[in-house]
Amino acid sequence: MDELKPGDFKLFAKTLSDTDAMLYAGISGEVSPLYLNESFAAGTELKTRTVHPMLVAALCGGAIYRLLSPAVRTRSREFRFLLPVYAGDTITACAEVKEVRREENRVILNVSCYNQNEEKVMEGTCDEILVTQDSEV
């Protein structure tokens, strides 16, 4: 933690597949036809199924892990979804240190996700507590 400073960041990228969306629906119970039913989605302004927004947000965890290893305990995570994401999109999540609170073992992060066209699809903030095997929880 001593070496962390504002501006430090890590990235995590993944191409989201139909399988990812179906597995997420099963795990989360979020079975909206907007995410699972092509006929329903075709009749909306989006014209096709989209990926669950919280699946997109979950990719931030990959970037956070790479930045704040070995583990964190989340105090809060807040997201704003700016554009839809579709199966087949490659999403790059970025976690960037905004503030380090060493006395509390806390790190405040700005997070964002971009699609393969470099369009920002999500942004937010995370408040994380660094956890090691010898730290108190």
Side-chain angles (χ1 to χ4, degrees):
M1 176 161 190
D2 291 335
E3 64 278 356
L4 281 176
K5 63 188 178 311
D8 288 349
F9 72 95
K10 292 289 182 178
L11 304 174
F12 175 73
K14 177 167 179 32
T15 300
L16 294 172
S17 67
D18 278 329
T19 301
D20 294 323
M22 296 301 168
L23 288 171
Y24 183 84
I27 291 166
S28 69
E30 192 176 352
V31 293
S32 166
L34 185 59
Y35 310 129
L36 303 176
N37 184 313
E38 189 62 46
S39 296
F40 176 87
T44 71
E45 71 276 5
L46 297 169
K47 304 296 184 212
T48 190
R49 289 181 296 120
T50 61
V51 172
H52 300 76
M54 290 306 292
L55 175 55
V56 175
L59 298 180
C60 291
I64 291 169
Y65 170 74
R66 283 154 179 77
L67 183 62
L68 304 178
S69 295
V72 295
R73 183 167 54 92
T74 299
R75 290 177 42 100
S76 68
R77 291 184 179 179
E78 182 179 316
F79 307 108
R80 288 168 297 288
F81 301 97
L82 309 173
L83 293 172
V85 172
Y86 304 95
D89 283 353
T90 299
I91 302 300
T92 300
C94 177
E96 181 178 347
V97 175
K98 177 180 178 182
E99 180 182 348
V100 179
R101 298 182 184 174
R102 286 182 173 73
E103 65 284 351
E104 301 173 64
N105 245 23
R106 285 174 57 199
V107 181
I108 312 301
L109 304 167
N110 288 323
V111 292
S112 53
C113 289
Y114 294 84
N115 66 19
Q116 67 277 1
N117 300 319
E118 299 182 7
E119 299 167 312
K120 187 186 284 187
V121 298
M122 191 219 74
E123 63 186 9
T125 57
C126 300
D127 184 348
E128 308 289 342
I129 299 172
L130 292 170
V131 177
T132 61
Q133 286 184 322
D134 61 342
S135 66
E136 295 180 25
V137 177

